[in-house]
Amino acid sequence: MFRRHNFSRTAGALLAMVLAALGLVAVEATAASAAVRTVYYDASRAGEFRTNFDQAATIWNSSVSTVRLAPRTPGNVTIYVDDGWPRAQPTRLGSGRVWMGRQAVNQGYDRTRIATHEMGHILGLPDRRTGLCSDLMSGSSAPVSCRNAYPSAAEASRVNSLFGGTLTAPTTGVSYTWTGAADPGPFVVGGRPASENYPWMVYVSGCTGTLIKANWAVTARHCSTPSSVRVGSINRTTGGTVVRVTRAVSHPSVDVKLLQLASSVSYAPAPIPGTSGAVGTATRIIGWGQTCPQRGCGSAPAVANELDTSIVADSRCSGINATYEICTNNTNGNSGACYGDSGGPQVRRINGVWNLIGATSRAGNNNPTCATGPSIYVDLPSIRSWINTQVGGLPA
Protein backbone atom coordinates (compact mmCIF):
# COMPACT_ATOMS: atom_id res chain seq x y z
CA MET A 1 0.00 0.00 0.00
CA PHE A 2 2.86 2.36 0.80
CA ARG A 3 4.49 1.67 -2.55
CA ARG A 4 1.21 2.33 -4.41
CA HIS A 5 0.81 5.68 -2.62
CA ASN A 6 4.43 6.64 -3.34
CA PHE A 7 3.97 5.78 -7.01
CA SER A 8 0.85 7.95 -7.12
CA ARG A 9 2.77 10.92 -5.72
CA THR A 10 5.63 10.36 -8.18
CA ALA A 11 3.22 10.13 -11.11
CA GLY A 12 1.48 13.27 -9.89
CA ALA A 13 4.78 15.12 -9.76
CA LEU A 14 5.68 13.99 -13.28
CA LEU A 15 2.27 15.10 -14.53
CA ALA A 16 2.72 18.48 -12.88
CA MET A 17 6.11 18.87 -14.60
CA VAL A 18 4.60 18.04 -17.98
CA LEU A 19 1.71 20.49 -17.44
CA ALA A 20 4.11 23.17 -16.30
CA ALA A 21 6.20 22.66 -19.42
CA LEU A 22 3.07 23.18 -21.49
CA GLY A 23 2.10 26.27 -19.52
CA LEU A 24 -1.16 24.74 -18.32
CA VAL A 25 -0.50 25.15 -14.61
CA ALA A 26 0.00 28.88 -14.99
CA VAL A 27 -3.22 29.20 -16.96
CA GLU A 28 -5.15 27.25 -14.35
CA ALA A 29 -3.77 29.40 -11.53
CA THR A 30 -4.62 32.60 -13.36
CA ALA A 31 -8.20 31.45 -13.98
CA ALA A 32 -8.63 30.51 -10.33
CA SER A 33 -7.30 33.84 -9.11
CA ALA A 34 -9.66 35.70 -11.46
CA ALA A 35 -12.68 33.79 -10.20
CA VAL A 36 -13.06 35.84 -7.01
CA ARG A 37 -12.38 39.57 -6.82
CA THR A 38 -11.47 41.16 -3.50
CA VAL A 39 -12.98 44.53 -2.60
CA TYR A 40 -11.22 46.19 0.34
CA TYR A 41 -13.22 48.40 2.66
CA ASP A 42 -11.76 50.97 5.05
CA ALA A 43 -14.01 51.28 8.13
CA SER A 44 -11.43 53.12 10.24
CA ARG A 45 -13.60 56.25 10.07
CA ALA A 46 -16.94 54.50 10.69
CA GLY A 47 -16.92 55.30 14.40
CA GLU A 48 -19.33 53.26 16.52
CA PHE A 49 -20.61 51.48 13.41
CA ARG A 50 -17.38 49.73 12.44
CA THR A 51 -18.59 46.37 13.74
CA ASN A 52 -21.77 46.71 11.67
CA PHE A 53 -19.73 47.02 8.48
CA ASP A 54 -17.63 44.03 9.52
CA GLN A 55 -20.91 42.14 9.95
CA ALA A 56 -22.07 43.41 6.56
CA ALA A 57 -18.89 42.09 4.95
CA THR A 58 -19.43 38.70 6.58
CA ILE A 59 -23.01 38.61 5.29
CA TRP A 60 -21.99 39.47 1.72
CA ASN A 61 -19.12 36.97 1.81
CA SER A 62 -21.56 34.23 2.85
CA SER A 63 -24.07 35.22 0.15
CA VAL A 64 -21.97 35.66 -3.01
CA SER A 65 -19.14 33.77 -4.66
CA THR A 66 -17.52 36.10 -7.21
CA VAL A 67 -16.46 38.88 -4.85
CA ARG A 68 -15.05 38.98 -1.33
CA LEU A 69 -15.07 41.94 1.06
CA ALA A 70 -12.01 42.37 3.24
CA PRO A 71 -10.91 45.14 5.67
CA ARG A 72 -7.90 47.26 4.75
CA THR A 73 -6.68 50.83 5.19
CA PRO A 74 -6.75 52.41 2.68
CA GLY A 75 -9.44 50.50 0.80
CA ASN A 76 -11.43 50.55 -2.43
CA VAL A 77 -14.36 51.72 -0.30
CA THR A 78 -14.04 54.37 2.40
CA ILE A 79 -16.71 54.43 5.11
CA TYR A 80 -17.61 57.54 7.08
CA VAL A 81 -20.18 58.46 9.73
CA ASP A 82 -22.18 61.66 10.19
CA ASP A 83 -25.55 62.86 11.48
CA GLY A 84 -27.33 62.83 8.10
CA TRP A 85 -29.01 60.02 6.15
CA PRO A 86 -27.01 56.91 5.24
CA ARG A 87 -25.86 57.13 1.62
CA ALA A 88 -23.50 55.65 -0.94
CA GLN A 89 -21.56 57.11 -3.85
CA PRO A 90 -20.16 54.34 -6.07
CA THR A 91 -17.34 55.54 -8.34
CA ARG A 92 -17.09 52.26 -10.20
CA LEU A 93 -18.04 48.65 -9.50
CA GLY A 94 -16.44 47.75 -6.18
CA SER A 95 -15.24 51.27 -5.33
CA GLY A 96 -16.68 54.39 -3.76
CA ARG A 97 -17.73 56.04 -0.51
CA VAL A 98 -20.32 55.15 2.09
CA TRP A 99 -21.74 57.23 4.94
CA MET A 100 -23.47 55.65 7.94
CA GLY A 101 -25.88 58.45 8.82
CA ARG A 102 -27.14 58.53 12.37
CA GLN A 103 -30.50 59.97 11.27
CA ALA A 104 -31.77 56.56 10.16
CA VAL A 105 -30.33 54.84 13.23
CA ASN A 106 -32.05 57.38 15.49
CA GLN A 107 -35.35 56.56 13.80
CA GLY A 108 -34.91 52.89 14.69
CA TYR A 109 -33.62 51.34 11.46
CA ASP A 110 -31.37 48.32 11.96
CA ARG A 111 -27.67 49.25 11.85
CA THR A 112 -26.43 46.09 10.15
CA ARG A 113 -29.24 46.17 7.56
CA ILE A 114 -28.23 49.75 6.70
CA ALA A 115 -24.54 48.81 6.44
CA THR A 116 -25.23 45.78 4.24
CA HIS A 117 -27.66 47.80 2.10
CA GLU A 118 -25.15 50.61 1.49
CA MET A 119 -22.40 48.12 0.64
CA GLY A 120 -24.89 46.63 -1.82
CA HIS A 121 -24.73 49.89 -3.79
CA ILE A 122 -20.94 49.58 -3.98
CA LEU A 123 -21.45 46.06 -5.31
CA GLY A 124 -23.65 47.36 -8.12
CA LEU A 125 -27.20 47.19 -6.75
CA PRO A 126 -29.61 50.12 -7.14
CA ASP A 127 -32.41 50.99 -4.74
CA ARG A 128 -35.55 48.89 -5.27
CA ARG A 129 -38.10 50.25 -2.82
CA THR A 130 -40.53 47.34 -2.92
CA GLY A 131 -41.47 47.75 0.74
CA LEU A 132 -40.54 44.10 1.37
CA CYS A 133 -38.30 43.25 4.32
CA SER A 134 -36.96 40.27 2.36
CA ASP A 135 -35.42 42.66 -0.18
CA LEU A 136 -32.22 44.20 1.18
CA MET A 137 -32.30 46.99 -1.39
CA SER A 138 -35.85 47.99 -0.42
CA GLY A 139 -34.07 50.06 2.22
CA SER A 140 -36.25 52.48 4.13
CA SER A 141 -39.42 51.49 2.26
CA ALA A 142 -39.52 48.36 4.44
CA PRO A 143 -40.88 48.87 7.98
CA VAL A 144 -38.56 50.28 10.65
CA SER A 145 -39.07 46.97 12.47
CA CYS A 146 -37.34 45.09 9.61
CA ARG A 147 -34.12 43.44 10.82
CA ASN A 148 -33.22 41.45 7.71
CA ALA A 149 -29.65 42.25 6.70
CA TYR A 150 -29.24 39.54 4.06
CA PRO A 151 -29.64 40.05 0.30
CA SER A 152 -32.38 38.12 -1.45
CA ALA A 153 -31.42 35.33 -3.85
CA ALA A 154 -32.06 37.68 -6.79
CA GLU A 155 -29.88 40.40 -5.30
CA ALA A 156 -27.02 37.99 -4.58
CA SER A 157 -27.33 36.53 -8.08
CA ARG A 158 -27.06 39.98 -9.64
CA VAL A 159 -23.88 40.75 -7.68
CA ASN A 160 -22.41 37.41 -8.75
CA SER A 161 -23.22 38.21 -12.38
CA LEU A 162 -21.74 41.71 -12.17
CA PHE A 163 -18.43 40.56 -10.68
CA GLY A 164 -18.45 37.38 -12.75
CA GLY A 165 -18.55 39.44 -15.92
CA THR A 166 -21.82 38.03 -17.27
CA LEU A 167 -23.69 41.29 -16.61
CA THR A 168 -22.64 44.80 -17.58
CA ALA A 169 -21.61 46.98 -14.66
CA PRO A 170 -24.09 49.76 -13.85
CA THR A 171 -23.52 53.40 -14.72
CA THR A 172 -21.39 55.16 -12.11
CA GLY A 173 -21.74 58.64 -10.73
CA VAL A 174 -25.13 57.98 -9.12
CA SER A 175 -25.66 58.73 -5.44
CA TYR A 176 -28.08 56.71 -3.33
CA THR A 177 -29.63 58.09 -0.16
CA TRP A 178 -31.49 56.20 2.55
CA THR A 179 -34.60 58.30 3.18
CA GLY A 180 -37.35 58.34 5.79
CA ALA A 181 -40.19 55.83 5.70
CA ALA A 182 -42.67 58.51 4.70
CA ASP A 183 -40.54 59.53 1.72
CA PRO A 184 -39.76 56.78 -0.80
CA GLY A 185 -37.12 58.97 -2.43
CA PRO A 186 -36.67 60.35 -5.91
CA PHE A 187 -34.98 57.30 -7.40
CA VAL A 188 -38.12 55.11 -7.34
CA VAL A 189 -39.37 55.15 -10.92
CA GLY A 190 -42.64 53.41 -10.00
CA GLY A 191 -43.49 55.60 -6.99
CA ARG A 192 -44.35 53.41 -4.01
CA PRO A 193 -45.71 49.94 -3.28
CA ALA A 194 -49.45 49.74 -3.98
CA SER A 195 -51.39 51.34 -1.14
CA GLU A 196 -54.53 49.28 -1.68
CA ASN A 197 -55.46 45.88 -3.09
CA TYR A 198 -56.79 46.86 -6.51
CA PRO A 199 -59.06 43.93 -7.49
CA TRP A 200 -58.73 44.62 -11.22
CA MET A 201 -54.95 44.31 -11.43
CA VAL A 202 -53.73 41.66 -13.90
CA TYR A 203 -50.17 40.35 -14.12
CA VAL A 204 -49.36 39.60 -17.77
CA SER A 205 -45.97 37.80 -17.70
CA GLY A 206 -43.53 40.69 -18.04
CA CYS A 207 -46.25 43.28 -18.58
CA THR A 208 -49.24 44.63 -16.66
CA GLY A 209 -52.94 44.60 -17.47
CA THR A 210 -56.37 45.48 -16.15
CA LEU A 211 -59.57 43.48 -15.76
CA ILE A 212 -62.36 45.23 -17.72
CA LYS A 213 -64.97 42.46 -17.65
CA ALA A 214 -65.29 39.21 -15.70
CA ASN A 215 -63.58 37.31 -18.52
CA TRP A 216 -61.65 40.05 -20.35
CA ALA A 217 -58.48 42.03 -19.61
CA VAL A 218 -56.67 44.81 -21.47
CA THR A 219 -52.92 45.23 -21.93
CA ALA A 220 -50.52 46.63 -24.55
CA ARG A 221 -50.44 45.23 -28.07
CA HIS A 222 -46.63 45.11 -27.99
CA CYS A 223 -46.70 42.67 -25.03
CA SER A 224 -46.48 38.95 -25.72
CA THR A 225 -49.72 37.01 -25.31
CA PRO A 226 -49.31 34.81 -22.21
CA SER A 227 -50.83 31.38 -21.69
CA SER A 228 -52.29 32.53 -18.38
CA VAL A 229 -52.57 35.62 -16.17
CA ARG A 230 -52.94 36.31 -12.46
CA VAL A 231 -56.02 38.41 -11.64
CA GLY A 232 -57.03 40.18 -8.45
CA SER A 233 -53.72 40.52 -6.60
CA ILE A 234 -51.17 43.32 -6.34
CA ASN A 235 -48.53 40.62 -5.77
CA ARG A 236 -47.53 39.00 -9.06
CA THR A 237 -46.31 35.84 -7.30
CA THR A 238 -49.23 34.98 -5.03
CA GLY A 239 -52.89 35.64 -4.32
CA GLY A 240 -55.74 36.31 -6.69
CA THR A 241 -56.67 33.76 -9.36
CA VAL A 242 -54.52 32.33 -12.14
CA VAL A 243 -56.66 31.85 -15.24
CA ARG A 244 -55.88 30.65 -18.75
CA VAL A 245 -55.94 33.02 -21.74
CA THR A 246 -57.90 31.66 -24.70
CA ARG A 247 -57.76 34.49 -27.23
CA ALA A 248 -56.10 37.84 -27.91
CA VAL A 249 -57.60 40.68 -29.97
CA SER A 250 -55.33 43.56 -30.97
CA HIS A 251 -56.56 47.01 -31.89
CA PRO A 252 -55.82 47.78 -35.55
CA SER A 253 -54.13 51.13 -34.96
CA VAL A 254 -53.22 51.76 -31.29
CA ASP A 255 -51.09 49.87 -28.75
CA VAL A 256 -53.91 47.90 -27.11
CA LYS A 257 -54.61 44.19 -26.84
CA LEU A 258 -57.63 42.48 -25.28
CA LEU A 259 -57.18 39.11 -23.57
CA GLN A 260 -60.13 36.73 -23.29
CA LEU A 261 -59.99 34.52 -20.21
CA ALA A 262 -61.02 30.86 -20.14
CA SER A 263 -63.45 31.52 -17.30
CA SER A 264 -65.00 34.46 -15.50
CA VAL A 265 -63.44 35.67 -12.26
CA SER A 266 -65.22 37.12 -9.25
CA TYR A 267 -63.16 40.32 -8.99
CA ALA A 268 -64.76 43.66 -9.80
CA PRO A 269 -63.49 45.01 -13.14
CA ALA A 270 -62.35 48.61 -13.60
CA PRO A 271 -64.99 50.74 -15.37
CA ILE A 272 -64.00 52.68 -18.48
CA PRO A 273 -65.59 56.15 -18.41
CA GLY A 274 -66.78 58.22 -21.37
CA THR A 275 -63.79 60.59 -21.30
CA SER A 276 -60.27 60.47 -19.90
CA GLY A 277 -60.19 64.02 -18.55
CA ALA A 278 -58.70 67.41 -19.30
CA VAL A 279 -55.11 68.57 -18.94
CA GLY A 280 -54.33 68.78 -15.24
CA THR A 281 -56.58 65.86 -14.26
CA ALA A 282 -55.06 63.94 -11.33
CA THR A 283 -54.42 60.29 -12.17
CA ARG A 284 -52.59 57.27 -10.80
CA ILE A 285 -50.48 54.75 -12.71
CA ILE A 286 -49.86 51.22 -11.41
CA GLY A 287 -47.67 48.36 -12.61
CA TRP A 288 -44.98 45.75 -12.09
CA GLY A 289 -42.34 47.65 -14.01
CA GLN A 290 -38.74 48.23 -12.98
CA THR A 291 -38.23 50.62 -10.10
CA CYS A 292 -34.88 51.81 -11.49
CA PRO A 293 -34.67 53.74 -14.74
CA GLN A 294 -32.17 51.93 -17.00
CA ARG A 295 -33.27 48.91 -19.04
CA GLY A 296 -32.30 45.71 -17.25
CA CYS A 297 -31.15 47.50 -14.08
CA GLY A 298 -33.46 45.46 -11.85
CA SER A 299 -36.12 42.79 -11.84
CA ALA A 300 -39.84 43.43 -11.50
CA PRO A 301 -41.02 44.01 -7.93
CA ALA A 302 -43.28 41.35 -6.46
CA VAL A 303 -45.74 44.01 -5.30
CA ALA A 304 -47.06 46.42 -7.94
CA ASN A 305 -45.95 50.03 -7.57
CA GLU A 306 -48.16 53.09 -7.92
CA LEU A 307 -47.45 56.72 -8.74
CA ASP A 308 -49.73 59.73 -8.46
CA THR A 309 -49.40 61.84 -11.58
CA SER A 310 -51.52 63.90 -13.97
CA ILE A 311 -52.50 64.49 -17.58
CA VAL A 312 -50.28 67.07 -19.30
CA ALA A 313 -50.45 68.83 -22.66
CA ASP A 314 -50.02 66.61 -25.73
CA SER A 315 -47.25 68.91 -26.91
CA ARG A 316 -45.00 67.52 -24.17
CA CYS A 317 -45.03 64.03 -25.74
CA SER A 318 -43.16 63.37 -28.97
CA GLY A 319 -44.99 61.34 -31.62
CA ILE A 320 -48.28 61.22 -29.74
CA ASN A 321 -51.57 60.46 -31.50
CA ALA A 322 -53.59 63.15 -29.74
CA THR A 323 -56.93 61.61 -30.68
CA TYR A 324 -56.25 58.24 -29.11
CA GLU A 325 -53.43 58.78 -26.60
CA ILE A 326 -52.76 60.58 -23.30
CA CYS A 327 -49.57 62.42 -22.36
CA THR A 328 -48.87 61.62 -18.69
CA ASN A 329 -46.55 63.62 -16.45
CA ASN A 330 -43.26 62.26 -15.10
CA THR A 331 -43.82 63.39 -11.52
CA ASN A 332 -41.00 65.56 -10.10
CA GLY A 333 -39.17 65.09 -13.39
CA ASN A 334 -37.84 61.67 -12.39
CA SER A 335 -40.73 59.28 -11.73
CA GLY A 336 -42.94 57.44 -14.20
CA ALA A 337 -43.67 54.25 -16.09
CA CYS A 338 -40.82 51.86 -16.92
CA TYR A 339 -40.12 48.48 -18.52
CA GLY A 340 -42.71 46.00 -17.28
CA ASP A 341 -45.42 48.61 -16.74
CA SER A 342 -46.53 48.21 -20.37
CA GLY A 343 -50.28 47.75 -20.70
CA GLY A 344 -50.83 48.72 -17.08
CA PRO A 345 -53.60 50.98 -15.83
CA GLN A 346 -53.84 54.72 -15.61
CA VAL A 347 -56.83 55.46 -13.40
CA ARG A 348 -58.64 58.46 -11.97
CA ARG A 349 -61.28 58.76 -9.28
CA ILE A 350 -64.83 59.51 -10.38
CA ASN A 351 -67.33 59.74 -7.52
CA GLY A 352 -64.87 57.91 -5.28
CA VAL A 353 -64.36 54.99 -7.70
CA TRP A 354 -61.19 54.27 -9.65
CA ASN A 355 -61.99 54.47 -13.37
CA LEU A 356 -59.65 53.13 -16.06
CA ILE A 357 -58.63 55.79 -18.58
CA GLY A 358 -55.32 54.58 -19.98
CA ALA A 359 -53.01 51.66 -20.79
CA THR A 360 -49.24 52.19 -20.69
CA SER A 361 -47.69 52.33 -24.15
CA ARG A 362 -44.26 54.00 -24.36
CA ALA A 363 -41.98 56.87 -23.37
CA GLY A 364 -43.03 60.29 -24.58
CA ASN A 365 -39.48 61.47 -25.31
CA ASN A 366 -38.03 58.41 -27.11
CA ASN A 367 -35.45 58.02 -24.32
CA PRO A 368 -34.60 54.43 -23.29
CA THR A 369 -34.00 55.65 -19.72
CA CYS A 370 -37.35 55.69 -17.94
CA ALA A 371 -39.01 58.74 -16.36
CA THR A 372 -36.81 61.30 -18.10
CA GLY A 373 -39.93 62.67 -19.78
CA PRO A 374 -43.72 62.14 -19.81
CA SER A 375 -45.17 58.75 -20.81
CA ILE A 376 -47.74 57.96 -23.48
CA TYR A 377 -50.85 55.99 -22.52
CA VAL A 378 -53.55 54.77 -24.89
CA ASP A 379 -56.75 56.73 -24.20
CA LEU A 380 -59.16 53.86 -23.51
CA PRO A 381 -62.32 56.02 -23.40
CA SER A 382 -61.52 57.08 -26.98
CA ILE A 383 -61.79 53.44 -28.15
CA ARG A 384 -64.49 52.40 -25.68
CA SER A 385 -66.99 51.53 -28.42
CA TRP A 386 -64.46 49.21 -30.10
CA ILE A 387 -63.72 47.50 -26.77
CA ASN A 388 -67.42 47.21 -26.04
CA THR A 389 -67.98 45.42 -29.36
CA GLN A 390 -65.05 43.02 -28.95
CA VAL A 391 -65.97 41.86 -25.46
CA GLY A 392 -69.69 41.57 -26.11
CA GLY A 393 -70.64 44.52 -23.93
CA LEU A 394 -68.80 46.22 -21.10
CA PRO A 395 -70.29 46.26 -17.60
CA ALA A 396 -72.69 49.10 -17.04
Side-chain angles (χ1 to χ4, degrees):
M1 184 172 182
F2 169 77
R3 291 170 58 187
R4 187 159 54 241
H5 178 66
N6 187 54
F7 173 78
S8 176
R9 286 196 299 177
T10 302
L14 289 171
L15 178 60
M17 292 173 62
V18 173
L19 291 174
L22 294 174
L24 296 180
V25 172
V27 171
E28 183 179 9
T30 301
S33 63
V36 180
R37 176 177 160 187
T38 300
V39 170
Y40 294 100
Y41 66 95
D42 178 2
S44 62
R45 287 172 264 192
E48 67 269 35
F49 303 107
R50 179 166 188 162
T51 57
N52 298 112
F53 282 94
D54 290 338
Q55 291 168 348
T58 299
I59 289 170
W60 276 113
N61 290 342
S62 68
S63 302
V64 297
S65 58
T66 59
V67 61
R68 177 179 174 272
L69 295 173
R72 190 183 72 181
T73 302
N76 309 110
V77 188
T78 305
I79 301 165
Y80 305 91
V81 60
D82 63 18
D83 293 328
W85 288 110
R87 55 202 184 276
Q89 291 180 348
T91 53
R92 63 180 182 273
L93 185 64
S95 295
R97 294 176 291 276
V98 167
W99 283 262
M100 171 60 91
R102 295 188 181 94
Q103 191 163 352
V105 175
N106 293 340
Q107 290 196 7
Y109 288 101
D110 184 77
R111 297 180 175 202
T112 304
R113 175 175 167 83
I114 295 172
T116 314
H117 170 98
E118 299 304 336
M119 291 301 290
H121 290 312
I122 300 297
L123 299 180
L125 298 180
D127 280 320
R128 290 186 62 249
R129 300 186 191 276
T130 62
L132 301 176
C133 185
S134 57
D135 291 337
L136 177 66
M137 303 314 292
S138 67
S140 66
S141 71
V144 174
S145 60
C146 175
R147 295 292 180 264
N148 172 49
Y150 282 79
S152 67
E155 292 166 335
S157 176
R158 183 169 179 81
V159 170
N160 277 331
S161 296
L162 285 167
F163 282 88
T166 59
L167 194 63
T168 302
T171 303
T172 57
V174 177
S175 296
Y176 299 95
T177 302
W178 182 288
T179 54
D183 177 10
F187 299 107
V188 180
V189 176
R192 60 179 178 268
S195 60
E196 52 187 283
N197 189 30
Y198 307 104
W200 27 260
M201 287 296 292
V202 178
Y203 179 64
V204 189
S205 186
C207 284
T208 305
T210 310
L211 187 71
I212 56 173
K213 191 176 180 178
N215 63 331
W216 285 90
V218 62
T219 189
R221 184 175 64 183
H222 72 260
C223 293
S224 300
T225 301
S227 58
S228 63
V229 294
R230 185 182 297 275
V231 185
S233 176
I234 58 172
N235 190 315
R236 65 185 176 87
T237 65
T238 187
T241 301
V242 176
V243 59
R244 189 165 52 87
V245 174
T246 59
R247 186 163 66 104
V249 181
S250 294
H251 192 277
S253 58
V254 295
D255 190 15
V256 160
K257 181 191 294 182
L258 303 176
L259 302 176
Q260 186 173 19
L261 310 182
S263 58
S264 295
V265 295
S266 59
Y267 306 101
I272 300 176
T275 60
S276 55
V279 171
T281 298
T283 68
R284 178 173 290 180
I285 59 175
I286 312 164
W288 283 281
Q290 291 179 182
T291 57
C292 52
Q294 290 83 24
R295 182 188 288 273
C297 58
S299 58
V303 176
N305 273 226
E306 65 184 31
L307 175 70
D308 291 327
T309 183
S310 62
I311 298 174
V312 294
D314 294 332
S315 60
R316 291 187 55 189
C317 284
S318 174
I320 192 171
N321 182 337
T323 303
Y324 297 109
E325 293 178 327
I326 303 168
C327 188
T328 303
N329 194 29
N330 57 322
T331 305
N332 297 323
N334 55 19
S335 297
C338 201
Y339 303 106
D341 287 321
S342 292
Q346 180 176 21
V347 295
R348 72 180 180 102
R349 283 194 184 276
I350 301 177
N351 297 323
V353 177
W354 288 116
N355 276 236
L356 178 66
I357 64 168
T360 319
S361 179
R362 62 195 185 279
N365 63 347
N366 299 314
N367 193 323
T369 300
C370 303
T372 54
S375 298
I376 294 176
Y377 280 68
V378 174
D379 187 335
L380 295 178
S382 73
I383 59 168
R384 192 181 191 282
S385 60
W386 177 83
I387 297 173
N388 187 69
T389 299
Q390 301 304 315
V391 304
L394 286 166

